[in-house]
Amino acid sequence: MSQPKIRPSKPLSSESISQWDIETDIAIVGFGGAGACAAIEASDAGASVSIFELASASGGSTALSSAEIYMGGNGGTPVQQACGYDDSTENMENYLKACFGNQGDENKIKAYCENSIGHYAWLTSMGVPFKMSELKERAIMALTDDCLLYTGNEKAHPFPDYAKPIPRGHNLYIEGDNGGPLLMKILTEQVEKRDINVHYESRALTLIRNSAGAVEGLVVRINQEEKTVRAKRGVILCAGGFCMNEDMVRHYAPSFDCGLTPIGNPGDTGSGILMAQGVGAGTVNMHECFVSLPYYPPSSLTYGILVNDKGQRFINEDSYHGRVGYNTLMQHKLSKRIYMITDVDGYGDYEKMSYLGAQVAATGESIAELESELELPEGSLQFTLETYNRHAEKGDDPLFHKAAPWLREIKPPFVALDCTLGRGPFYPFFTLGGLDTLATGEVLTPEREIIPGLFAAGRTTAGIPRTAAGYASGMSVGDATFFGRLAGKQAATN
Amino acid sequence: MSQPKIRPSKPLSSESISQWDIETDIAIVGFGGAGACAAIEASDAGASVSIFELASASGGSTALSSAEIYMGGNGGTPVQQACGYDDSTENMENYLKACFGNQGDENKIKAYCENSIGHYAWLTSMGVPFKMSELKERAIMALTDDCLLYTGNEKAHPFPDYAKPIPRGHNLYIEGDNGGPLLMKILTEQVEKRDINVHYESRALTLIRNSAGAVEGLVVRINQEEKTVRAKRGVILCAGGFCMNEDMVRHYAPSFDCGLTPIGNPGDTGSGILMAQGVGAGTVNMHECFVSLPYYPPSSLTYGILVNDKGQRFINEDSYHGRVGYNTLMQHKLSKRIYMITDVDGYGDYEKMSYLGAQVAATGESIAELESELELPEGSLQFTLETYNRHAEKGDDPLFHKAAPWLREIKPPFVALDCTLGRGPFYPFFTLGGLDTLATGEVLTPEREIIPGLFAAGRTTAGIPRTAAGYASGMSVGDATFFGRLAGKQAATN
């Protein structure tokens, strides 16, 4: 197989094409969650569909994820209702707006919340199984086959000030961290059932447009030959994000070009974004990424506190790991070290269960001893921990408002984990910026005019999730599958 | 005059132009610092030049600025040398790299530092006057006619770890805050001396390009008529930033869409960026802005400390006001209030001298009283201030490393100024993102290929300054005039 082509070439002019090798109504680039859903909906709307996937199998980053699909509103999904939660659309919208503030796309948030129950119904109609049960533990992902769990900051300050906490992460009905593979297996089978042409090991090289600026097709390389594809109703780019493209990360998201670990599939090279930019597409939110400090499991570390090299706390530690990761990364701008301070009870099963990889930096029978071993300014950690403990006993955290269930005195002997970036801990990241699109998938110019014939969905676009500080697990797969469907439907109406 | 057209229309095809109303070698959009310097250099290189300025006079944002041009390296400018400073190019480069980290453009930094003395010489050859003297006070701008001053973070932690502190701000030889107007008066006279056609009240509407993608001219509106301009050697966009375009700020720099005060000229609507995007230009650093908390003068407030609503300090207060502004703004993400804590001596001439506009939130004879009046968590401010004072007495700041000259005990009675955004204080901002260009001004596509015939400089581009956290006064005027010159020279070689 040839080397990935990071920088697609300029668009070809359709007037220069003498022969179309492949003709289809809709051409979809990428067979992950977004591409699969786009293909199914477009086909069900009567369009002929061809998918071009550079790997030798479907999956994309969706198959690598836990796929805890973020859904709710409308009175609650059947699972939410079965578990006793009444979720209103307004409440879900308020929550998402609080998560992303000015960065959020109001139209996408509105479409997502209003149609979330419909998306649940569609997924189950495809055969995606959900158990009518809840996982009550604080977890990064469900390792049981239970469905509903809190996957974001719903219960963490300040979000309850904006929206009533409701769990919206929907884990698939399968044991272990296998939701993503199962979701893609089901969606792939649905694609295969339909009259959809899937071309694997096919790399999209460049778009083809006419002199009026409308996209009419693309060039793909299959078996080392370049083929022209005519897409009569449109091209849908579902080619993933750009976390695997170091140049693009440095160029657009420099705050995240600092030794984080990209998580995604090898095709997350930004090729969809670049191809669209070649025909005049605009981008948005390119500077933002998901980033995490995955310090739970064990959830018992949530009883601990995170401090910077001034011995100061900086976040309520019951926040979602992405929000903690974001704020920890920002702390590095003015702090050389970050520690998680816990006790033996909090440390618990850390060595058995953790994904974090942080090493024990110090232990101590007294806070003063720990402080000195960590070379923190004298008195700093003592003040921070004494203040924390004094209030925690009373179920209170006047500084950062960690919720009462996670407040308890941290007792000697103490343990400090070194959470400093570059000194062991796992800081995964992927990109949250991309093409600016309408909720229905049309790709926009920088002036927000529609580029005829061009659609996109998934992490090739800037979708629902806009910053790790407001992220919840399941927002990206939720966004990719939901807006993939809309793009497929919309392209089919062309 | 017609309403500003925020969103320029798509480019025209040169093949569709039946008549060119104006013909020139080089067309320059915008007559601020960048446009003036581009015009002078292009003309001096033998090209015919036309400037199109939407206002009825030259000036742009340069004329509104203090114009403390940031220069150094190469053993020092004549002023640096006269004041006893020996500045190496390497030292200046190290400083700028420390300022902007991954966000910086290495090629631009290199060109800027290596040729900074040449730029000084060119400016003086134009008649720009500098006095061989230094202003030693900590100031936002020189109100005397002295030249050299520290205008950034050179002496503030952590920058001395990366580069020897040297002042590089060059204030013009004029009393008061009049450097910008004088600079533009001189540059305008230089333009007028040459055979350069200046069209005022002329709005650039859109670019004209040929079928091969090269820019061949533009459309301008003069006296309510649209005129086609043929620019045989190129168009140079020097049309300012986009701080006056609320839609663009919200879209690209949402962190700064929060009630800050835009500073710039009414033409800073992003029109240059949008016109270039219309022909396929890429952008970079669009999410970043300059922002400031201008708490000095009086410089005596530097002896104070800034705290968040947890009573924590978060920055060394001897940092440049832009770095403080940036970090204060970021604090607002997790803190509802920000206070400057000072004493009567530190408060000093605040009421007479300040630009800040922050109101006194509380006064107190004891820290406990102040803390209680400010409703800060009990003990928080007491610990912070006691810790600060204990070390300040010894000339030390183990937490934030404020430099010794700014360390002294803060004594009762205490004063707290409310620096919370939206509660009085002035938080000015302007944009630091724009077109991606080569150091020589060529505008690049997202794939970093040159768009033939199109150049840009000044805040229409992403230049030397990339974040308020590393900004120094004089970096934007320095960048605009220097890279304006390079763009003018380069276009003339076409």
Side-chain angles (χ1 to χ4, degrees), chain B residues 14 208-217 451-453:
Chain B
S14 57
I208 298 169
R209 66 170 170 193
N210 65 24
S211 55
V215 171
E216 296 201 340
I451 298 174

Side-chain angles (χ1 to χ4, degrees), chain A residues 305-316:
Chain A
I305 58 171
L306 282 160
V307 298
N308 62 21
D309 69 1
K310 292 99 173 96
Q312 299 170 324
R313 286 175 71 206
F314 54 88
I315 186 76
N316 42 326

Side-chain angles (χ1 to χ4, degrees), chain B residues 8 74 84 118 121 170 212 221 271 285 301 319 343 425:
Chain B
N74 309 272
H170 287 67
R221 190 166 56 220
S271 60
N285 210 46
L301 276 185
S319 299
D343 54 19

